[in-house]
Amino acid sequence: MSSTILTGGPVRTMTDDGHMPEAVLIHDGVVQAVGTLTEMRRSAYGTPEIVDLDGRTLMPGFVDAHAHTILHGSAIDWVDLSSARSIGDVVRLLGDRAAARPGEAVRGYGYDQSKLVEGRHPSAADLDRVTRDRVVQIQHASGHGYVVNTLALRQANITAATPTPIGGRIDRDADGEPTGVLFDSACDLLTGAEGVKVRNHGPNFHLPMTHAEIDHLFDLGQRSLLDAGITTMCDAQVTQLEMDSYLRARDEGRLRMRTEMLALSSNLEHLTGLGMSSRLGDDQLRLWGVKLYADGSVIARTAYLNGHACCGKPSPDGYLYHEPEELAALITTAHHLGLSTATHAQGPLPIGVVLDAVAGARAERPRTGLVHRIEHCGFPTGEQIGRMADLHVVPVPQPMQVSLYGDSLMDEFGEFGGRFYPYGEFERAGVPVVISSDAPVTMPNPLEAVWAAVTRETLGGAVSGDEAQQASRANALRGVTVTPAQMLGRQDIGVIRPGSKADLVFLDADPVTVPVERLPKVGVTESWIGGEEVILG
C-alpha cells in the first residue's frame, strides 16, 4: 500500500506542543510522521499520493463523548417539532405528516413545552386532533418522555388504575385519568410486551420497531454524525436494542465510526453474570462502561434540583431514579468489575450522591486508571467541582443546551439557572473540559458547540451566567478532540501525531483563528477514518 501525504493548509494537531507541521504522512491507516513536505516525501513508502488541502484546515476527527445514534436517527426521520411555538403548531406539523403518509403511525420529535405559548405539554386530547384512528406519539426534546394520543394509551393499556413506576411520571387530570404525558421509566409502558424495559434505570427511548426500521434509524444517525466530522462517538445508553443494532451494523459492514458503548445499568447484573471484569471490544466497537441515572431532565423539568426556583415560579417537581444507597451500590458494583461509570446527574443532591459513591468505591479498591464521569452535570456546587478535580471525575455537559434553553432556565431559576453547565468553573478547577452533543437533544455540530461553550450566548442574545462561566477557545477545541479521547482511554485518536489513527476532518476555515462568531459556520468538507475518506452509499 502506498503512502498518502496531506499538505497545503493549516494542520492543527491538537498536541500539547502546538506545532503546526507543513505536511502529514499516512500509511496503512496510521499517521507515520509529521513535518515538512520534503521530510514526508523522504519517509514515504514508494511514490506517495499527494492530497492538496487547498487552504483547508486539517484537524483530528471530532470525538463526541455523549450521543445516541438510533435516537438521533429517530429525530431525523420523524416530524421535526423543534420549531413549534404553540400546540396548534404541533398539531399542524403532525397533520401534514399524517396526510403525506396515510395508514402509518405519526411520530414526532423535539417539542419543548417551555417554548410553547401555552406553557404546557400537549395532551392526548391535543394529539387526537391529528388523528384518532392511528397512533400518534411525540417525543420531548430531552428524549426523556412522550406524549401519545388516546389510541396509543388504549393500546398500551394505560388507565387511571395504572401505577406510576419509580423513576417515572404519568401526568393525570383531576379525575386521575392519564393525560397522555409519560416520562422516564413510565415509557416502559409504551414498548409492548416484547419491547425494551429499563425499569427505574433511566428513560426508555424506544417504541416497538422492526429490525429494518432500527437499521434505517441507525444509518440516518451515523450519517449525520459523520457528516459533522465526528469519527468517534460514545453511545450514552446501550440496551439490548442498541447492542444488537451495533453488532448487526458491524457484521454487515455498515458501521464506520469508532464507537464506545455505555451499557445501561439495568444490564449490570447480566454483565456480572458474564464475568465482565474489564472493557470488551476492539478499536472500532467497544463496551467502555456503564450508564446510570440519578435524576431526570433539566429541560423537561424532571431533574432533582433541591427545590430551586425564583421569580414567582413554582419549584420544579423532579425526582430520583434510585434511592441514594441503591445508586451507590450500582456504581460500586461497576467499579469493582473494572468498568467505568457515566452517571446522569443534574441537581446538586444527585451530583453529591455520585461523588460520594465514587469516593467510597475508590477507597475500597483504588483502580486509579478507571475513569468515572457525570453526564450533563448541570448544577454542581463549587465545593463539588473541587471534589471532581480531587477524585478525577469528569463532567460531560452539552453547551448547546445552554444556548437553546438558557433563557428559560434564567427566567425560572434566576442566578442559579445561569450556572447551568459551569464550564468556566470547571476550567479554573482543573477539571477536564469535555464538549458533547447528546444528539439528538442538540444537533451534532462540534464547532457550534465550541462557540456555545466559549460565548454562552442564548437564543435571546443573553449571556448565561456571566463571563466567568465561559470556556477558553483552546480548551473548548480540545474538548471536541483530544480531551474526550483521553477520557475514553484512547491515545490514538483526537490528535495528529506519529502512531495515531488517521481519523481526520477537513474544514473550510481554521477554527483557531476565525472570529468566534463564525465558529458555527465553519464547514466540514471531508471526514476520514483510518486514512480513507468516509463515503456512505
Side-chain angles (χ1 to χ4, degrees):
M1 179 182 293
S2 63
S3 302
T4 301
I5 295 175
L6 303 170
T7 191
V11 178
R12 298 295 182 180
T13 64
M14 304 311 295
T15 54
D16 291 335
D17 59 15
H19 175 55
M20 284 186 62
E22 180 185 7
V24 177
L25 173 65
I26 297 170
H27 186 77
D28 199 21
V30 174
V31 175
Q32 295 294 321
V34 298
T36 68
L37 179 57
T38 299
E39 291 169 337
M40 298 304 98
R41 287 184 184 275
R42 188 181 305 126
S43 301
Y45 295 84
T47 303
E49 176 188 3
I50 306 295
V51 175
D52 186 1
L53 295 173
D54 193 25
R56 294 175 296 177
T57 298
L58 185 69
M59 283 187 68
F62 297 127
V63 180
D64 194 328
H66 183 123
H68 306 275
T69 304
I70 295 172
L71 181 63
H72 183 43
S74 299
I76 296 168
D77 189 59
W78 297 353
V79 178
D80 180 4
L81 301 176
S82 61
S83 64
R85 294 297 177 265
S86 69
I87 290 173
D89 288 346
V90 172
V91 171
R92 175 181 54 79
L93 291 166
L94 294 171
D96 291 345
R97 174 64 64 91
R101 299 186 184 181
E104 293 185 9
V106 184
R107 291 171 176 161
Y109 175 86
Y111 84 90
D112 173 13
Q113 80 288 347
S114 74
K115 291 183 170 65
L116 303 180
V117 295
E118 295 85 354
R120 65 171 176 86
H121 296 277
S123 67
D126 294 320
L127 299 190
D128 287 343
R129 292 159 53 194
V130 178
T131 177
R132 291 177 175 271
D133 58 6
R134 281 183 273 168
V135 165
V136 181
Q137 298 154 321
I138 62 172
Q139 193 168 31
H140 188 263
S142 65
H144 277 240
Y146 285 93
V147 184
V148 302
N149 68 348
T150 300
L151 177 60
L153 285 174
R154 186 162 61 246
Q155 289 185 353
N157 196 31
I158 299 170
T159 69
T162 303
T164 300
I166 295 172
R169 165 180 162 185
I170 300 175
D171 285 8
R172 304 172 191 271
D173 64 19
D175 297 322
E177 295 292 337
T179 66
V181 177
L182 298 96
F183 268 79
D184 296 302
S185 63
C187 296
D188 276 0
L189 301 170
L190 300 175
T191 64
E194 303 300 321
V196 172
K197 307 297 179 186
V198 303
R199 307 188 311 279
N200 65 320
H201 290 265
N204 194 332
F205 301 147
H206 303 304
L207 300 172
M209 291 182 286
T210 66
H211 275 175
E213 290 172 318
I214 294 167
D215 290 348
H216 173 63
L217 299 180
F218 176 91
D219 292 344
L220 287 175
Q222 177 178 234
R223 177 186 291 275
S224 175
L225 291 162
L226 289 169
D227 285 347
I230 295 164
T231 55
T232 297
M233 62 87 70
C234 180
D235 194 309
Q237 182 165 321
V238 172
T239 68
Q240 59 266 42
L241 185 147
E242 283 86 5
M243 180 65 76
D244 178 63
S245 179
Y246 277 112
L247 293 175
R248 196 163 56 249
R250 181 201 63 186
D251 293 347
E252 294 172 1
R254 292 184 294 108
L255 179 62
R256 301 300 304 278
M257 57 191 177
R258 302 189 196 277
T259 304
E260 307 283 341
M261 297 182 292
L262 293 171
L264 190 61
S265 59
S266 56
N267 295 298
L268 191 52
E269 183 178 349
H270 301 298
L271 297 178
T272 303
L274 285 171
M276 287 287 295
S277 59
S278 187
R279 298 165 184 165
L280 178 67
D282 54 33
D283 64 3
Q284 184 185 33
L285 182 64
R286 182 171 66 158
L287 178 62
W288 185 82
V290 178
K291 172 66 176 295
L292 306 100
Y293 282 83
D295 64 345
S297 161
V298 169
I299 301 169
R301 306 304 192 261
T302 59
Y304 195 87
L305 300 183
N306 298 34
H308 278 282
C310 86
C311 319
K313 305 289 185 179
S315 298
D317 186 19
Y319 44 75
L320 301 174
Y321 283 91
H322 308 278
E323 291 299 320
E325 296 79 10
E326 181 185 9
L327 179 63
L330 291 168
I331 291 172
T332 300
T333 297
H335 178 88
H336 285 181
L337 286 175
L339 294 173
S340 295
T341 64
T343 306
H344 169 122
Q346 292 281 25
L349 186 148
I351 289 170
V353 171
V354 176
L355 292 173
D356 288 345
V358 171
R362 289 202 190 283
E364 290 180 16
R365 191 169 184 180
R367 289 191 178 276
T368 54
L370 207 58
V371 174
H372 294 292
R373 304 163 36 171
I374 298 180
E375 305 306 289
H376 313 301
C377 199
F379 296 102
T381 66
E383 183 270 337
Q384 288 173 338
I385 293 172
R387 290 190 71 195
M388 288 179 211
D390 293 340
L391 291 168
H392 304 289
V393 170
V394 181
V396 183
Q398 298 77 38
M400 278 304 297
Q401 292 184 20
V402 175
S403 176
L404 295 173
Y405 306 107
D407 293 313
S408 65
L409 293 176
M410 289 188 288
D411 175 58
E412 293 182 32
F413 306 142
E415 183 179 349
F416 178 81
R419 285 191 71 256
F420 188 45
Y421 299 158
Y423 272 108
E425 292 183 53
F426 292 150
E427 192 169 328
R428 288 190 296 278
V431 173
V433 171
V434 174
I435 290 174
S436 61
S437 68
D438 197 13
V441 180
T442 66
M443 295 300 287
N445 182 340
L447 294 180
E448 185 176 26
V450 167
W451 164 84
V454 171
T455 67
R456 293 183 67 86
E457 184 176 323
T458 68
L459 288 179
V463 173
S464 180
D466 55 36
E467 293 181 358
Q469 300 299 357
Q470 295 171 337
S472 67
R473 190 191 303 208
N475 268 337
L477 287 170
R478 292 174 63 84
V480 295
T481 52
V482 62
T483 302
Q486 291 174 344
M487 178 187 69
L488 293 168
R490 300 293 300 258
Q491 307 303 316
D492 58 347
I493 59 172
V495 292
I496 300 174
R497 64 185 173 205
S500 66
K501 302 290 185 185
D503 295 358
L504 307 167
V505 62
F506 297 56
L507 304 171
D508 62 13
D510 185 351
V512 174
T513 60
V514 298
V516 67
E517 64 271 14
R518 283 191 55 203
L519 279 171
K521 300 300 182 183
V522 174
V524 173
T525 64
E526 295 181 30
S527 298
W528 286 27
I529 295 179
E532 296 183 358
E533 183 179 0
V534 178
I535 300 175
L536 298 174

